[in-house]
Amino acid sequence: MRLPDLEAWAIFAAIVEHRSFSGAADAIGLSKATVSKAITRLEAHLGQSLFHRTSRRLALTEAGKPLAEHAARILAEALAAEEAARDGASGHSGRIRLAAPMSFGITNVAHLVADFLVAHPGIEIDLHCSDARVDIVAEGFDIALRIADLPDSSLRARRLCGISTHLIASPAYLEKHGTPTHAAQLGEHRLLGYANVTGPWRFRGPGGAEVAVRAA
């Protein structure tokens, strides 16, 4: 299917409205040559002439008269669509689906959402807090906050902030299994980590030496 030449139809409507090629060119900010080429292109596509042209007069052909009404509607609809888009953009309305990790979403995101809704009453936030890694595209999310190293993806990602992590153990565990004195000894212990963070735990000592430990 060949798409219609909407630019040529709009130029056709402008010529009819301004009753000349030069008047239409001035009104829509194009050169007279560009306007003329658009009509030539449209006539070639339709297989019929739209205007009777003389050095002193421009008139629609019998074939062009009914088509001029269609062209006017096409131009009016396009202008109305652009106006509606501008109104929507300036009004900031609609729904945003946002996914965030459970604890991070509750402690760091929820109050920001409340402030955002006060500033933008026309927007609705659908906040999903879960530690499950959602499929942003398949599940229809607009934004997802993740605490992890992202795999290769065509999605646009931006680092928002750093997250502090802590290594902790209960006194009862340390009493039973002993207290490690070096990060390398962690491999001998039972470790519990965040499932969405892939790869080993990395520790860097005062001298810059790095130790990697993988939680089993």
Side-chain angles (χ1 to χ4, degrees), residues 68-98:
E69 297 178 5
H70 289 290
R73 286 196 294 271
I74 290 171
L75 179 57
E77 286 293 331
L79 293 174
E82 290 187 352
E83 184 67 25
R86 283 192 293 268
D87 290 343
S90 62
H92 298 297
S93 61
R95 172 183 291 189
I96 298 175
R97 299 197 72 215
L98 170 63

Side-chain angles (χ1 to χ4, degrees), residues 167-191:
L167 185 64
I168 60 174
S170 69
Y173 177 89
L174 296 178
E175 183 178 353
K176 182 177 181 179
H177 299 281
T179 301
T181 59
H182 191 276
Q185 298 173 352
L186 292 173
E188 304 169 5
H189 286 264
R190 302 177 65 183
L191 305 177

Side-chain angles (χ1 to χ4, degrees), residues 10-28 32 35 39 50-60 68:
I11 290 174
F12 175 37
I15 294 171
V16 174
E17 179 182 356
H18 296 280
R19 300 182 180 182
S20 72
F21 279 56
S22 57
D26 291 340
I28 59 182
K32 185 177 178 180
V35 168
I39 295 304
L50 299 173
F51 294 103
H52 293 299
R53 303 174 179 85
T54 67
S55 58
R56 302 179 61 182
R57 186 170 179 270
L58 181 70
L60 286 166

Side-chain angles (χ1 to χ4, degrees), residues 134-154:
V134 299
D135 186 322
I136 298 176
V137 176
E139 298 181 44
F141 285 100
D142 300 295
I143 305 171
L145 302 178
R146 289 178 173 168
I147 304 174
D149 294 326
L150 294 181
D152 291 339
S153 172
S154 61

Side-chain angles (χ1 to χ4, degrees), residues 189-204:
H189 286 264
R190 302 177 65 183
L191 305 177
L192 179 64
Y194 185 51
N196 283 348
V197 177
T198 59
W201 299 356
R202 299 187 182 278
F203 301 87
R204 191 181 302 275

Side-chain angles (χ1 to χ4, degrees), residues 2-5 8-9 38-48:
R2 178 177 176 179
L3 295 176
D5 190 341
W9 280 104
I39 295 304
T40 299
R41 189 170 69 242
L42 184 59
E43 288 177 330
H45 176 61
L46 297 175
Q48 50 193 326

